Amino acid sequence: MQNNYVTELELPFELDLSPAYKVIEGYKNVNQYYIFTYDKSWLDPNLVKFIDDMGCYISHQEMFYTPPHGKLPIHVDQEQFSNMAKINWIIGAPGSHMVWWKPKDPNKLNKYTTPIGTKYLLFTENMVDEEYRFPVRTSTFINAGLPHSIDNHTDEGRWCLSHCISIKRHKENIQMEQVHEIFKDYIKN
């Protein structure tokens, strides 16, 4: 079933995660949520070609860490609401959930910038109501333009390799409804 929060893909290749494991190896002692840059040279050529064949390109990539029994704060991956989609791969913490939220007052926006220079909105739990939760694992488009967070209630750290995808013809971030059309032959759920 397609929805506006998450769309799992069945890709014709297995993503090479060895560069992500090098990042993980270098940060074994991280004990709080964190965002990491992910160099473009580390991208799997199979993923770059696949995305290119779909008329898109990878416009940004990064990694996130959520510690065991930790939560990534409720946020939007830009300074306004949208249906912007990102494709994610999760390493570790099976059973952890991505959670989407609905703002009680959509006009109350707290704007911030991450340590790697990306803009985002931040919410506290008293500002939102839970809408949907899903155990994201691999090759999954997620809606990053709506308030979302991570609930890692497992004993293991959760690493997320995340890619922003843009459409070549207008150079804008892909939206969830476009994911359903462009990637329709690869949708698993």
Side-chain angles (χ1 to χ4, degrees):
M1 180 180 116
Q2 296 174 1
N3 66 49
N4 196 43
Y5 300 106
V6 61
T7 300
E8 293 183 288
L9 299 183
E10 184 80 43
L11 298 181
F13 61 91
E14 188 168 325
L15 188 73
D16 176 11
L17 292 171
S18 58
Y21 281 106
K22 288 179 184 172
V23 172
I24 293 168
E25 188 65 28
Y27 289 93
K28 284 184 175 180
N29 297 322
V30 176
N31 57 10
Q32 65 181 29
Y33 65 83
Y34 206 81
I35 183 172
F36 300 85
T37 57
Y38 194 82
D39 194 273
K40 199 169 194 102
S41 68
W42 300 342
L43 292 173
D44 183 333
N46 293 311
L47 179 63
V48 173
K49 181 181 181 331
F50 175 75
I51 297 294
D52 183 69
D53 289 348
M54 298 291 110
C56 301
Y57 64 97
I58 299 169
S59 52
H60 178 76
Q61 59 283 334
E62 57 202 358
M63 284 184 72
F64 299 94
Y65 176 72
T66 308
H69 304 284
K71 293 185 177 187
L72 192 66
I74 302 165
H75 66 284
V76 172
D77 289 15
Q78 54 190 8
E79 290 185 310
Q80 70 276 342
F81 299 117
S82 72
N83 284 315
M84 178 185 88
K86 294 170 85 172
I87 190 168
N88 288 356
W89 277 262
I90 308 306
I91 300 168
S96 62
H97 288 98
M98 181 168 261
V99 183
W100 284 266
W101 306 83
K102 182 177 182 176
K104 294 176 181 175
D105 180 356
N107 297 313
K108 187 172 183 180
L109 303 178
N110 299 311
K111 298 179 180 185
Y112 294 92
T113 303
T114 69
I116 65 168
T118 53
K119 307 288 185 189
Y120 69 103
L121 299 175
L122 188 64
F123 301 85
T124 57
E125 282 194 33
N126 66 338
M127 299 169 67
V128 292
D129 293 314
E130 185 175 327
E131 287 258 294
Y132 187 75
R133 78 176 36 229
F134 189 84
V136 174
R137 295 305 313 147
T138 184
S139 58
T140 303
F141 272 103
I142 59 95
N143 191 326
L146 296 175
H148 59 284
S149 64
I150 300 303
D151 181 4
N152 181 9
H153 51 273
T154 75
D155 293 332
E156 190 176 347
R158 180 188 189 273
W159 294 85
C160 175
L161 175 57
S162 185
H163 302 80
C164 292
I165 307 298
S166 294
I167 298 176
K168 289 182 195 176
R169 66 179 139 71
H170 54 67
K171 299 187 183 341
E172 292 180 6
N173 289 326
I174 194 167
Q175 304 293 302
M176 284 302 287
E177 52 275 1
Q178 294 167 317
V179 166
H180 298 151
E181 178 57 33
I182 294 170
F183 293 91
K184 65 183 174 212
D185 294 338
Y186 300 95
I187 292 176
K188 184 161 64 171
N189 56 338

